[in-house]
Amino acid sequence: MSPPPPHAPGRRRSAVAVATTSLALVAAAAVSAPVVAAHDGAPHYDAAYQPPPVVEPGQVTGAFTNVSTRDAHEVWVVDQSDTRFDGDAATYGFASYGGRIHVYDGADLRTRSAAATAQVVELGDATAQLCRASTSANPVRPHMIYFNAAETHAVLAFVASGHTVIFDARSKAPLACFRSEPSPTGRQAHASVPTPDGRYILVANQNGKKLERIRTDYATGAFVQEPAATLDLTSGLTPNGVPVQTPGDPLVRPDNAPICPFVPSTGYPAFVSLRGGGLLAVDPYSTPIRIVAEYPATEVARDGCGFTEAKGWVYGNGGSNPGNLAGWFVYRLPVGKPGTYAAENPPSTPAVQLVERDTRGPRDAHGVTTVRDKYVWAFDRAAHVLQVYRADTAAPVATVNLRSPWSQAPAPDIVAQAPDRSAVYAAMRGPNPLSGTHAATGDTPGVLVLEVRQDGRTGAVRGHAAVSNVVAGVERADPHGLAVRRTG
């Protein structure tokens, strides 16, 4: 698939010109159903998507079942359903709160997934106490979790209440709790992502429409919120003189609620996906955080969260929303450095490469990971499939139907590869999802265990570990965030 031609050096182009050119490029690069003008929420998918048939996976290999001591690891999966219903709403903002982290041994998951036992971290206990003491509010809806580069600490974002909590990864004890800044449109913490150098955490304050920063020193346990670094995503102009947010123009950036930040291994720039479409690349180390590259909604689809780095590229996606269930959009951009992404560049520099777009529904691109540094695995939580692309060329390789005897609606969400690169784990959504309800309804909440096959060209479902939270006779468990930590 050919990349879009680069812009002429030294020229700044208007948002309208960029959008017009982008539409033509997207139409030319489409690989499936006809492409619409913008991923703008209109109900315009043109046919029902039909996944391929389920393929018999064959025998399990020894590489999958034999986890070496060096590659021993834990799988942390976050259930975002409430576990405490005794909150003082008048004092602490929320009457129900909590949630749980389920921590599984990787070898246990791979050899006896159905019987695997988890260490459970009850977020309504010490974590809630810490957040109440630090912010006078209960933590609600634990959503996304990441480890710092050294894997000594975990960072958990609570999307409903806007909290970010830092944990000691070994003891599982909460160390610090912060709350995102309020704004007229609310406040949330959809994802809080550590930078690779260990200096900062970037917080996507989704409804507050701000990108915030926490300074971190994991060795000394010093963590400080930095309001001076906050980037307001609702006002002002980009370096090219285009409004940062364009509520009246769906072809640029109509709704700048930040969904997920992503910082590649180089540490620069950080990419920020936006709820209404478009993308911003930012310098995460400047104070305040500043924009260094800008992309309109016609080039990057809305509702994306999945990012992964592979072969010098950052792969990202766009998902679905209640008005548009045709949520399969995968693109890539080069991993950057100062100069490649710079404020003096024209819009959409460097250029977006479209990998694949499918306007059939229901589809919803979400979790994504790199497997063996050769393939990109992109998961669809509405169609229950895995799509595999070559990391170097972005060429499609395989589509795997993830339905199995364990689940007919696995709804795979956030995913991660094991350290030995022989397995991939995915959070499986529940029957009563608390977010993404239009696309993320599953029948067996828990962890999906997949074997990496053919050096990463395909995969096979090997098991399921159940997560449950029954409240008043109803299954409320809704796993979302997932991360893997090496313990060997």
Side-chain angles (χ1 to χ4, degrees), residues 162-191:
H163 287 93
T164 295
V165 178
I166 302 167
F167 294 82
D168 179 280
R170 189 179 294 272
S171 69
K172 316 300 189 290
L175 303 176
C177 178
F178 302 93
R179 198 175 186 197
S180 58
E181 300 171 18
S183 81
T185 52
R187 64 172 160 192
Q188 293 179 321
H190 187 273

Side-chain angles (χ1 to χ4, degrees), residues 2 64 71 118 165 245 252 340 375 424 427 447 457 465 482:
S2 301
F64 173 76
D71 293 320
V165 178
Q245 182 176 251
V252 187
T340 306
Y375 299 93
V424 168
V447 181
R457 288 185 291 275
L482 181 145

Side-chain angles (χ1 to χ4, degrees), residues 30 49 56 93 105 119 148 179 274 282 299 319 367 374 387 452 477:
Y49 173 75
E56 168 58 42
D105 175 75
Q119 177 184 354
N148 64 330
R179 198 175 186 197
L274 303 171
V282 303
E299 293 190 359
K374 297 178 181 179
Q387 290 197 205
V452 174

Side-chain angles (χ1 to χ4, degrees), residues 52-75:
V54 175
V55 175
E56 168 58 42
Q59 296 298 311
V60 177
T61 67
F64 173 76
T65 56
N66 300 323
V67 181
S68 69
T69 301
R70 181 191 63 185
D71 293 320
H73 57 281
E74 297 174 335
V75 180

Side-chain angles (χ1 to χ4, degrees), residues 47 52 54 80 146 176 226 250 264-265 312 314 323 358 398 436 446 468:
V54 175
Q80 57 183 343
Y146 298 89
E226 296 190 327
S265 59
V314 171
D358 189 348
S468 181

Side-chain angles (χ1 to χ4, degrees), residues 458-469:
T458 189
V461 176
R462 293 305 187 192
H464 161 256
V467 169
S468 181
N469 179 25

